[in-house]
Amino acid sequence: MHVPDGFIDAPVSLSAGVAAAGAVAVSLRGARRELDERAAPLAGLVAAFIFAVQMLNFPVAAGTSGHLLGGALAAILVGPWTGVLCVSVVLLMQGVLFADGGLTALGVNVVTMGVVTVVVAYAVFRGLLKLLPDTRRSVTVAAFAGALLSVPGAAVMFTLLYALGGTTDVPLGKVFTAMVGVHVLIGIGEAVITAATVGAVLAVRPDLVHGARGLAAPLKLRVGGKLVDAPAAAPAAVPAAVAARSTKPVWITGLVTALVLAGFVSFYASASPDGLEKVAADKGIDQNVQEHAAAGSPLADYSVKDVDDARLSGGLAGVIGVGATVAVGTGIFWTVRRRRAEDLTAASATAV
């Protein structure tokens, strides 16, 4: 669903850019509360994993494909604030290095693929967890539903932005019907990938799934013939170095998986246009599309310049993309983590 330059006019693109910048700024502040010793080492990995899986287009209808958007997955694994940042890092890497998604449309893409997917998915996820039993299966079911609805939610937001600033004269009803229709199908794939990934992490390290924290019901004590919640035990302090080591097997497994997906499996992804590309071509939305400002990048179109073998070229581009995303993402998230530590230190000093 990467929106290229030229689909949305300059005023609306600029407004979306301001909104996206505001959302990222707020998310940077909110992420300080989420990026603890468990989440901080994994947030960059989550961004890299989303980058890799987005290269795996899957067929959804005749001549149409879809790919993971990733907002739901990121929000559930590392938290909604950090989730917005994860998707934003991916979109930045894709736009600057691979000419995927317009640079003037970066704000549009952050709003539709980052902010909206996270908000919709996490709202649905949390709402369902309040209704379902406190079990790991409930987390997986809620993740499936949240991811499923997040994709058509993003399609609705694109339609709204197109209504405000579309550069072609296409009836809004046709755009809405086509966008939502195809992205409901893509949402099924998003839901399967999200639920499978969340379920896999839950099976080995449920403490690393942000959305599953506090899942266990409180211990009950019988007092005066009535059941009451037992006082919560104070959590033992876990040194940062120990926590970092404890996530290392998951981190290594996740990184290797991302590298394999981007460097090898991506070669077998569907070559059909994704949902937005197909709708744009069928309805004429792409009449004013502009050449990407980074079209001359040596990694444009997910291939390495001057490497003639398509399989090798695409694989190398995927590996470079995963490496760049995990490096940039990890740098950002550890910086935010340090700010969290500074805030806690300052708060402790003030209390004393």
Side-chain angles (χ1 to χ4, degrees):
M1 188 190 267
H2 294 75
V3 180
D5 296 323
F7 277 23
I8 308 296
D9 65 21
V12 174
S13 293
L14 179 61
S15 299
V18 172
V24 169
V26 172
S27 296
L28 282 168
R29 189 169 186 84
R32 295 184 195 178
R33 299 190 296 271
E34 296 172 345
L35 291 171
D36 57 16
E37 291 84 356
R38 292 171 291 181
L42 298 177
L45 175 63
V46 170
F49 184 80
I50 291 172
F51 174 92
V53 180
Q54 282 197 4
M55 294 182 66
L56 308 180
N57 281 46
F58 48 85
V60 296
T64 309
S65 70
H67 62 72
L68 182 83
L69 299 188
L73 178 62
I76 294 166
L77 288 180
V78 291
W81 301 113
T82 308
V84 170
L85 299 179
C86 284
V87 180
S88 298
V89 168
V90 172
L91 293 171
L92 179 64
M93 293 295 99
Q94 291 171 332
V96 172
L97 297 180
F98 299 93
D100 189 10
L103 293 184
T104 62
L106 181 60
V108 173
N109 286 317
V110 169
V111 169
T112 55
M113 296 177 63
V115 178
V116 171
T117 56
V118 167
V119 170
V120 172
Y122 205 68
V124 172
F125 176 78
R126 279 299 175 195
L128 283 177
L129 284 187
K130 292 180 180 179
L131 302 175
L132 297 172
D134 291 336
T135 65
R136 294 181 186 179
R137 180 175 296 180
S138 295
V139 174
T140 304
V141 170
F144 183 96
L148 175 64
L149 294 177
S150 70
V151 179
V156 171
M157 176 54 72
F158 169 80
T159 305
L160 175 60
L161 293 175
Y162 179 82
L164 296 173
T167 59
T168 53
D169 187 19
V170 178
L172 188 60
K174 290 185 177 180
V175 176
F176 177 84
T177 302
M179 283 294 293
V180 174
V182 71
H183 284 91
V184 166
L185 298 177
I186 295 173
I188 297 173
E190 178 101 10
V192 170
I193 295 171
T194 300
T197 305
V198 170
V201 180
L202 278 173
V204 294
R205 286 293 301 273
D207 60 303
L208 297 181
V209 179
H210 180 276
R213 294 182 186 178
L215 187 63
L219 177 65
K220 298 288 185 178
L221 297 177
R222 185 173 297 277
V223 178
K226 295 182 180 180
L227 289 176
V228 297
D229 290 344
V238 180
V242 174
R245 284 199 301 271
S246 68
T247 62
K248 194 171 293 184
V250 175
W251 197 92
I252 293 173
T253 301
L255 181 61
V256 170
T257 301
L259 290 171
V260 170
L261 291 175
F264 178 73
V265 180
S266 63
F267 182 78
Y268 301 97
S270 172
S272 299
D274 70 16
L276 176 59
E277 291 175 314
K278 180 64 173 176
V279 171
D282 289 347
K283 305 301 179 184
I285 298 175
D286 60 354
Q287 294 174 16
N288 296 319
V289 66
Q290 301 172 7
E291 183 179 19
H292 200 288
S297 167
L299 298 173
D301 298 323
Y302 298 93
S303 60
V304 177
K305 186 178 180 180
D306 298 329
V307 176
D308 296 329
D309 184 271
R311 185 191 299 269
L312 179 60
S313 180
L316 286 174
V319 169
I320 293 170
V322 168
T325 303
V326 77
V328 172
T330 299
I332 291 173
F333 297 128
W334 273 113
T335 299
V336 175
R337 168 68 186 139
R338 284 197 296 270
R339 291 295 300 274
R340 169 191 166 98
E342 292 170 2
D343 290 345
L344 292 175
T345 302
S348 299
T350 302
V352 173

